[in-house]
Amino acid sequence: MSQAVLETRALTRSFGGLTAVAQVALTLVIGELHAVIGPNGAGKSTLINLLSGDLRPSSGQILIDGASVGGLPAHRLARLGIGRSYQKTNILKSLPALENVRLAAQARHGGGRRLFQTARGARDLVALAEAALARVGLASASDRPAGQLSHGEQRQLEIAMTLATEPRALLLDEPLAGMGPEETERMVTLLRQLAADHAVLLVEHDMDVVFAVADRLTVMVDGRVIASGPPEMIRSSAAVREAYLGEATA
Ligand code: ADP
Ligand code: MG
């Protein structure tokens, strides 16, 4: 079995008296799309915030390549190969698509690092940004102001911005939110392609999409994992149906 890029053990985060993420164990491996589902308030975004270093755990462990990294800030985890997209958009709308991606690459590779202050370094960043845009299918949109892209294209752009940080694990919080059927289909194809050479964690509400793309599902309710396994196992789990799926798919 391939080594986990990212793993959590008994990961817990409380906000005052509320435990948003409780004792969560999760494993992300390259080549696998791992979907995390659960009703609103289940703790999905909090889990992503913990894995990306945007929030510190209250207790429990986060491991990258088997080494404990809990408590490290987001920029350190980014350097260790953790990339994320946000539920709310991060795009600078007046700037061209390519420039948005280049800035994301620069932030990750350190504007301060001398390598990228040289002419050659600057070209490397542009090349990285162009490759990321091409990967999401936006090569022809590179000069367009990001604000003029369609909603779906802006979500693709956000993924390109994440890819430009050269992550091994991609944490995607509802990348399909607000998309029409065609945009959804394009994004689903992209997610499958990305999962070939990344460890992907996908938070998504649309159960048709989730069951179509996921290799593995983890179901959260009230901060806890109530089930985790391959889609067929989750679909037939009585506990999951009762707690969540039954109402969602009825
Ligand atoms: P989901 O993404 O599954 O909808 P969240 O992780 O956003 O759920 O939220 C889980 C729970 O934690 C909710 O009850 C939410 O109100 C609470 N929560 C999330 N972030 C904070 C915060 N920064 N401060 C206080 N409570 C929070
Ligand atoms: Mg959320």
Side-chain angles (χ1 to χ4, degrees):
M1 193 188 147
S2 40
Q3 151 114 36
V5 176
L6 197 55
E7 189 183 345
T8 72
R9 294 185 192 153
L11 188 63
T12 299
R13 170 69 201 213
S14 305
F15 297 109
L18 174 88
T19 306
V21 169
Q23 302 284 330
V24 167
L26 190 95
T27 302
L28 299 181
V29 299
I30 303 270
E32 199 171 87
L33 194 150
H34 192 143
V36 174
I37 63 173
N40 269 332
K44 306 178 299 292
S45 292
T46 302
L47 175 64
I48 286 191
N49 287 333
L50 291 168
L51 295 178
S52 67
D54 289 299
L55 271 179
R56 290 171 66 90
S58 300
S59 61
Q61 280 188 295
I62 300 173
L63 302 103
I64 296 178
D65 302 324
S68 180
V69 298
L72 288 185
H75 71 273
R76 295 279 308 278
L77 295 186
R79 256 178 241 152
L80 292 171
I82 310 304
R84 72 163 300 176
S85 72
Y86 289 84
Q87 207 173 344
K88 282 201 176 133
T89 181
N90 235 356
I91 290 172
L92 298 170
K93 300 202 169 194
S94 63
L95 295 182
L98 181 65
E99 185 63 4
N100 271 279
V101 184
R102 193 190 64 78
L103 286 171
Q106 188 172 42
R108 151 74 155 87
H109 290 287
R113 229 166 78 188
R114 216 170 282 138
L115 177 63
F116 287 112
Q117 291 169 357
T118 64
R120 175 158 174 272
R123 276 199 303 277
D124 288 348
L125 278 184
V126 172
L128 192 59
E130 284 172 343
L133 264 187
R135 182 99 199 248
V136 304
L138 287 181
S140 63
S142 64
D143 296 334
R144 286 170 60 200
Q148 288 179 17
L149 300 178
S150 72
H151 176 78
E153 287 169 332
Q154 291 191 23
R155 305 314 294 238
Q156 287 167 261
L157 176 60
E158 286 173 345
I159 292 186
M161 290 163 68
T162 309
L163 287 176
T165 67
E166 299 186 294
R168 290 177 296 144
L170 272 170
L171 314 174
L172 305 175
D173 198 354
E174 304 195 22
L176 295 148
M179 282 192 172
E182 273 172 39
E183 292 179 328
T184 297
E185 203 179 307
R186 208 176 311 137
M187 184 62 87
V188 162
T189 304
L190 175 60
L191 293 176
R192 280 310 324 166
Q193 288 166 356
L194 292 174
D197 56 352
H198 295 84
V200 179
L201 187 157
L202 172 70
V203 169
E204 176 48 39
H205 281 297
D206 184 328
M207 287 304 125
D208 291 336
V209 167
V210 165
F211 280 99
V213 301
D215 300 301
R216 174 170 294 273
L217 268 82
T218 288
V219 186
M220 288 178 73
V221 175
D222 292 337
R224 297 191 171 275
V225 171
I226 62 160
S228 187
E232 19 345 323
M233 191 196 116
I234 298 300
R235 209 192 281 275
S236 60
S237 156
V240 173
R241 286 200 162 276
E242 192 178 327
Y244 174 55
L245 265 188
E247 40 190 301
T249 56

